[in-house]
Amino acid sequence: MASKSSKKKPNSKRSNSKPAYSPMASPKHFHLKRFFILISIMLPVCVIVVLGVSSNTSYKISSDHHSVKIYGFELVNEFPHDPRAFTQGLVYAGNESLYESTGLYKQSTVRRVAIQTGKVEVLHKMPDSFFGEGLTLLGERLFQVTWLTKIGFIYDTKNLQKLDRFTHQMEDGWGLATDGKILYGSDGTSTLYQIDPQTLKATRKQVIQFNGREVRYLNELEYINGEIWANVWQTDCIARISPKDGRMLGWILLPTLRQGLIAAGYNGIDVLNGIAWDSNKNRIFVTGKLWPKLYAIKLHPVRRQIDNKDIEQLCVP
């Protein structure tokens, strides 16, 4: 994709200006739960709107000769999140905390954050010339990639000090995840990479497709119960992918999270990005770039036939 560098971060997103709002100084966030409840009650007839509702409904469609499920969600909880954090990678760290990689030149960081308060407990400031991207935790080491380079960094989990620097074979650095043995990576195309964590060489590539179309802009990644979950840049969708053969397993539709924030007055937010998984308590956390909230969600699959084209319109840019 010769043009992906210009699409990944448009000029408005590269700006180092901070959002002109503060959720801690405004009562607007108290109305978010009320908004989600109202949306879940007022189910429109229109298919596109129905697909965006955070409710106990989900849909099953047929794609590439196998069943692909479409999921809605239940909002379990919400927590404060730094509204200046341009979230690029999110990982559960244990002890009610997260590791987070943030982007933007001169502002990129790796940090450990308390879930309940949103407070940054430990912070590593990256050099100004690097734009932080995906992050994953393997053993006692954090692996991070950077945008528009083939350079990555390895950090100590305790103090976030840089331990090493590496190069990778992806076209760019967007997302990282791990199953505890190998690394999975994305570079903003439709390719999902498998990477040897010792040599950092790509050992396998899979082109991800839905309904005969390549799913481009695979972004932040997380490994959850034998699946790769991927944010798709510029959408409110998370793709569920089989790492064994690259098949699409399902879609998670989360537009009402972003819509709820905008309705509450947070107009400076960017796209959905950031997935973290607490395997001990089976908790799913999601957030977005410049979002003032981190959400814990629970998925709900239900059966209803819909057209593949509707999902393409929502989730396949």
Side-chain angles (χ1 to χ4, degrees), residues 240-301:
R240 297 176 63 165
I241 302 165
S242 168
K244 295 179 181 179
D245 54 18
R247 287 187 303 119
M248 277 293 308
L249 302 175
W251 289 102
I252 303 167
L253 307 179
L254 303 175
T256 50
L257 293 179
R258 183 175 52 83
Q259 292 166 5
L261 289 171
I262 292 173
Y266 299 113
N267 296 313
I269 62 173
D270 209 295
V271 296
L272 174 78
N273 203 45
I275 312 164
W277 167 244
D278 174 8
S279 59
N280 292 326
K281 296 183 180 180
N282 293 322
R283 292 186 296 174
I284 304 166
F285 299 97
V286 296
T287 190
K289 303 177 184 185
L290 308 178
W291 284 24
K293 294 291 181 181
L294 170 79
Y295 298 101
I297 63 171
K298 184 177 180 180
L299 304 187
H300 290 290

Side-chain angles (χ1 to χ4, degrees), residues 152-266:
F153 300 103
I154 300 174
Y155 302 94
D156 182 272
T157 57
K158 297 181 179 62
N159 54 23
L160 300 185
Q161 292 301 305
K162 186 170 67 176
L163 299 176
D164 204 355
R165 170 174 169 156
F166 64 88
T167 57
H168 57 78
Q169 297 178 327
M170 298 186 293
E171 294 300 316
D172 195 356
W174 283 41
L176 281 179
T178 183
D179 61 0
K181 297 179 182 179
I182 63 174
L183 300 176
Y184 297 89
S186 65
D187 60 4
T189 67
S190 57
T191 300
L192 180 67
Y193 294 80
Q194 294 187 16
I195 302 169
D196 185 316
Q198 301 302 320
T199 65
L200 281 307
K201 292 184 177 180
T203 59
R204 190 179 183 187
K205 302 177 184 179
Q206 298 163 316
V207 176
I208 310 306
Q209 295 188 341
F210 174 75
N211 199 32
R213 286 183 58 187
E214 292 188 12
V215 181
R216 301 181 301 161
Y217 305 135
L218 297 177
N219 201 359
E220 213 270 315
L221 305 177
E222 184 64 278
Y223 185 89
I224 300 179
N225 286 339
E227 301 177 5
I228 294 293
W229 291 20
N231 285 117
V232 179
W233 184 62
Q234 290 188 321
T235 79
D236 294 305
C237 303
I238 294 175
R240 297 176 63 165
I241 302 165
S242 168
K244 295 179 181 179
D245 54 18
R247 287 187 303 119
M248 277 293 308
L249 302 175
W251 289 102
I252 303 167
L253 307 179
L254 303 175
T256 50
L257 293 179
R258 183 175 52 83
Q259 292 166 5
L261 289 171
I262 292 173
Y266 299 113

